[in-house]
Amino acid sequence: MKTPILLNASEAEVIRALRKTRNVSRTDIAEITGWSKAKTSQAVNSLVEKGYLVDVEEGASQGGRKPRILRFNRDMGYIMGVDLGATSIDIALADIDGNVLQRICEPADVRNKPEDVLGRCCTLINELVQLQGCQVAEVLGIGVGVSGPVDFHRGVLVAPPLMPHWENFDIRSFFQQTLPNAYVIVDNDVNVMALGEQRYGDAIGLDHFLFVKIGTGIGSGIISNGKIHRGANGCAGDIGHICVDKQGPICHCGNRGCLEAMAAGPAIVQNALEAVKHGESPFMRHIMEINDDILTPEQVSAACREGDEAALRIIRNSGQMIGDVLAGLVNFFNPSQIFIGGGISNFGNHLLVSIRRAVLHRSLPLATTHLQINFSKTGSDAGIRGVIALALEYLFVDEDKPYLTV
Ligand SMILES: [Zn+2]
């Protein structure tokens, strides 16, 4: 199995500084690390000689001299990102700075066998490589996001409710066959979205925040002290199975009244169908009549926008339940921000207002004084940007602490 690039402690420190602040000079590195000029030069020169960094002239001329800055060497190769949603595949080829160069999205059903879904991913990877005019051997790392609990150290899904065929399937080895020089890293889709928000969205510079995905399921990614908090086994943040009603409907995990079973997309549709059955929503009944008796979460959302009372009540209830659970998390974890993403986040302000109200009502005043709860503006791109960031994060590791990212 391909491993990340190992660096000594000083080299790792330089890479860390470079990741935090773009466009740094040698003088900046010396300031950030507190090292002497000689020590800084030695570490930087070593990275330049190995071909990982380049020292380039850039920016406006100052007194006749252009400042020289350090950046990653784009000739090193490429990064691949694969974001597997419940109903779609999103794949992108990026440069070493994380800029997306080629991207393909297409519908897919991840409940199919992993060989079929990942086989299709590998075909698309080859297409992207061809489009870019490069070689698969030039891809140095691939980040993969999947829906379900991931054992991060082994890179496998464990008891994934949505994808039962994927239990313990070796995703890394599968991709390694197509990308022989790439380090493969697999993580849960919401962790990846949190990372995408932190690297490219509104969470740049935030060290303590939650990313909550509300769609077919509900999950959260936790960024603590600037890093993803995965917990002892990798399933930290799986808030969809927190019980909100012991008498509630049976969840696909086997327990009763989980948040996901009560408030996610399928529950919203189920509640809307009940409302239609009881004659509470002529608007949604009409939508069903012109759509072969089918009702989708998007249509409930549309009914909401039209001011349909039943749809509004259902969305507000969902928001309240999600907010009640988040209130507990706010007291426990004290984040500075909560970002909401996923398909159901398109429900707009009614959902957001209910979530905010419940959190403010039930959380400690100190925890909510500066707390912000907003929809993620990175939205549908958070996943793909996140898997690329994940692959970049693990491209280099400190040889003394290989389990930690640089
Ligand atoms: Zn459950």
Side-chain angles (χ1 to χ4, degrees):
M1 187 71 69
K2 178 81 182 154
T3 54
I5 299 166
L6 294 176
L7 302 176
N8 66 38
S10 322
E11 292 168 339
E13 196 69 34
V14 172
I15 298 286
R16 225 172 271 136
L18 200 61
R19 287 236 175 92
K20 266 194 188 148
T21 327
R22 295 276 162 100
N23 296 339
V24 289
S25 64
R26 285 168 190 251
T27 317
D28 297 331
I29 300 263
E31 256 172 45
I32 294 168
T33 53
W35 293 342
S36 67
K37 242 179 162 184
K39 185 175 177 185
T40 308
S41 255
Q42 195 185 17
V44 169
N45 288 346
S46 163
L47 289 164
V48 171
E49 275 160 27
K50 287 176 182 171
Y52 304 149
L53 296 186
V54 284
D55 197 351
V56 291
E57 266 186 8
E58 205 158 297
S61 165
Q62 287 173 350
R65 273 186 68 199
K66 286 185 177 174
R68 295 186 74 82
I69 58 152
L70 293 163
R71 63 169 173 74
F72 290 105
N73 180 4
R74 290 189 187 138
D75 294 338
M76 265 183 83
Y78 299 89
I79 293 295
M80 195 71 76
V82 176
D83 182 27
L84 290 175
T87 55
S88 62
I89 298 175
D90 193 353
I91 299 192
L93 178 77
D95 66 18
I96 206 79
D97 289 317
N99 302 307
V100 173
L101 304 171
Q102 307 287 344
R103 182 173 173 185
I104 300 179
C105 311
E106 66 172 40
D109 189 347
V110 293
R111 285 168 300 186
N112 290 336
K113 281 192 198 144
E115 292 89 344
D116 296 345
V117 178
L118 297 180
R120 179 64 191 153
C121 289
C122 289
T123 305
L124 295 175
I125 284 172
N126 281 315
E127 279 181 28
L128 290 178
V129 164
Q130 267 188 5
L131 280 170
Q132 185 60 28
C134 60
Q135 307 290 325
V136 285
E138 293 176 83
V139 179
L140 303 173
I142 171 169
V144 185
V146 286
S147 309
V150 172
D151 179 332
F152 186 70
H153 297 289
R154 291 193 299 135
V156 299
L157 280 152
V158 179
L162 252 185
M163 309 148 81
H165 300 302
W166 292 62
E167 170 93 36
N168 281 323
F169 185 83
D170 191 348
I171 298 171
R172 285 186 196 160
S173 298
F174 197 96
F175 279 115
Q176 199 90 76
Q177 289 166 27
T178 301
L179 298 169
N181 291 335
Y183 178 64
V184 188
I185 187 140
V186 183
D187 204 348
N188 167 267
D189 59 345
V190 197
N191 283 349
V192 157
M193 291 172 96
L195 192 61
E197 194 69 45
Q198 189 197 33
R199 289 302 157 86
Y200 305 105
D202 288 335
I204 291 175
L206 294 187
D207 286 337
H208 305 280
F209 72 91
L210 294 174
F211 190 103
V212 179
K213 182 184 181 186
I214 312 170
T216 312
I218 296 179
S220 77
I222 304 165
I223 300 284
S224 175
N225 281 315
K227 299 255 180 198
I228 296 179
H229 174 77
R230 297 187 174 88
N233 300 99
C235 59
D238 206 347
I239 61 170
H241 302 283
I242 290 177
C243 180
V244 291
D245 180 1
K246 281 184 184 163
Q247 315 301 324
I250 291 190
C251 176
H252 51 71
C253 74
N255 290 323
R256 268 191 190 279
C258 296
L259 178 65
E260 189 165 305
M262 303 280 295
I268 286 172
V269 170
Q270 190 55 42
N271 292 335
L273 288 172
E274 286 289 317
V276 170
K277 201 169 103 189
H278 291 106
E280 292 163 14
S281 173
F283 184 88
M284 288 194 284
R285 176 181 291 276
H286 175 68
I287 290 180
M288 286 179 70
E289 278 165 5
I290 56 174
N291 284 294
D292 298 329
D293 255 8
I294 292 170
L295 196 62
T296 63
E298 290 73 27
Q299 287 158 346
V300 184
S301 169
C304 225
R305 283 196 297 276
E306 294 296 321
D308 182 84
E309 283 296 328
L312 280 168
R313 189 191 69 231
I314 290 163
I315 296 302
R316 284 178 185 147
N317 277 346
S318 268
Q320 158 113 41
M321 283 186 273
I322 295 165
D324 284 347
V325 166
L326 291 183
L329 299 181
V330 165
N331 285 347
F332 182 74
F333 172 61
N334 190 198
S336 64
Q337 288 215 37
I338 299 176
F339 295 92
I340 314 266
I344 304 301
S345 58
N346 298 329
F347 275 75
N349 274 339
H350 296 293
L351 182 74
L352 193 59
V353 166
S354 311
I355 291 176
R356 279 187 185 141
R357 190 176 293 150
V359 171
L360 290 178
H361 185 67
R362 299 188 70 105
S363 302
L364 295 169
L366 181 60
T368 54
T369 311
H370 301 292
L371 175 69
Q372 294 191 41
I373 306 174
N374 291 304
F375 286 129
S376 157
K377 286 194 222 116
T378 320
S380 54
D381 281 345
I384 195 70
R385 302 303 302 265
V387 278
I388 291 165
L390 181 72
L392 285 170
E393 187 113 326
Y394 281 85
L395 188 59
F396 299 103
V397 297
D398 189 332
E399 63 188 1
D400 296 331
K401 303 172 204 156
Y403 47 90
L404 286 177
T405 54
V406 166

